[in-house]
Amino acid sequence: MTPATRRAPRKDAQRNRERILAAAREIVAERGVAAKMEDIAARAGVGIGTLYRFVPTKDALFAGILREEADRLAELAQDALALPQGESAFHTWMGEAAAWQAANKAFINVLAARDPDEPVPRLLSQRLRALLRDLVRRGQADGDLREDVTASDVLMVLLAVGRIGEGTQGTSAAYARRFLALQLDALAPGGAPLPGKPLTERQLELTLDALAHSRRAATGGSARGRGARRG
């Protein structure tokens, strides 16, 4: 067996993995809690056995999607922070993150499909949390962001922009940009002090999970035990 022959299976395996993950994102974005492993295998053009070799359960598949999308959001934050002084890192990230959110239904649908009886996971990586804190500090230093705003406040605003964008998609798709501009204006310095306290990291996780499950209920999803998660 030549070295090239030995390398071929690894290349095939990588291509299969990429096709499976791409198909999974598409199917989950389209169908949410109704996504089935058999549909993902068919969309990827692989057998169901091949799919289960890469991802043994639907939970594992969902976890992979969450990791990839959280990493993508972190990359957007890192790119924004690399902008030179004089360019608004915070406004750039908010615009790109809002566009990512509008184009990507797989992330929130994965959260909605998670078994509500399971413990709430850490949905935001330490890397993403640190980058968001850096973005807030950069925004405050640049004069784009009021001093009493935290990273958890920013994430709540981003979620609100996503929900409004989703709700107006069929009536005025361009309205989401107007709503984002309104929110950025509200976050700018000069307003009255904010009441209360920002969400803690744990409160943020619980809030994200509750919002995801409210979406699950609205789309008719029902709780499933772990034994059914292969389907």
Side-chain angles (χ1 to χ4, degrees):
M1 182 180 293
T2 66
T5 303
R6 287 196 298 271
R7 283 195 296 271
R10 290 198 292 272
K11 291 179 180 177
D12 287 345
Q14 180 62 25
R15 282 195 294 269
N16 282 341
R17 179 181 182 278
E18 290 170 357
R19 285 201 297 267
I20 287 168
L21 286 175
R25 285 192 294 271
E26 291 173 5
I27 293 288
V28 171
E30 293 167 9
R31 305 178 190 177
V33 297
K36 294 184 180 297
M37 296 290 269
E38 292 80 4
D39 296 333
I40 293 167
R43 179 75 61 91
V46 301
I48 191 68
T50 299
L51 173 63
Y52 279 126
R53 280 197 295 274
F54 282 95
V55 279
T57 65
K58 192 182 286 188
D59 280 336
L61 183 67
F62 286 174
I65 292 175
L66 286 175
R67 281 194 302 272
E68 283 202 343
E69 297 308 331
D71 286 346
R72 176 58 183 151
L73 205 53
E75 287 166 10
L76 292 176
Q78 198 159 22
D79 291 345
L81 285 166
L83 290 172
Q85 293 298 322
E87 294 189 39
S88 176
F90 178 71
H91 284 179
T92 296
W93 182 80
M94 283 293 285
E96 292 178 345
W100 166 86
Q101 188 174 227
N104 191 325
K105 299 296 186 292
F107 187 82
I108 189 66
N109 282 348
V110 164
L111 296 184
R114 199 182 56 76
D115 191 332
D117 293 329
E118 290 298 303
V120 178
R122 289 185 67 83
L123 305 176
L124 305 174
S125 67
Q126 289 297 332
R127 177 190 174 210
L128 179 54
R129 291 171 192 271
L131 286 167
L132 289 178
R133 289 192 292 268
D134 289 344
L135 268 174
V136 167
R137 285 192 288 268
R138 170 76 180 264
Q140 290 165 339
D142 289 344
D144 294 327
L145 195 59
R146 52 190 299 155
E147 291 295 326
D148 53 356
V149 165
T150 68
S152 64
D153 295 321
V154 168
L155 282 174
M156 289 295 101
V157 169
L158 185 62
L159 282 175
V161 170
R163 286 295 181 96
I164 292 297
E166 209 171 341
T168 57
Q169 184 63 39
T171 54
S172 177
Y175 182 76
R177 292 196 299 274
R178 179 182 176 89
F179 187 74
L180 173 60
L182 286 169
Q183 300 311 300
L184 291 176
D185 187 64
L187 290 170
L194 294 172
K197 296 180 180 179
L199 297 176
T200 66
E201 287 195 357
R202 184 56 178 167
Q203 287 170 333
L204 177 61
E205 297 285 356
L206 291 169
T207 301
L208 291 173
D209 200 56
L211 289 171
H213 287 310
S214 70
R215 182 188 184 97
R216 178 191 182 95
T219 55
S222 58
R224 289 172 294 175
R226 293 188 64 86
R229 298 307 290 277
R230 286 181 62 95

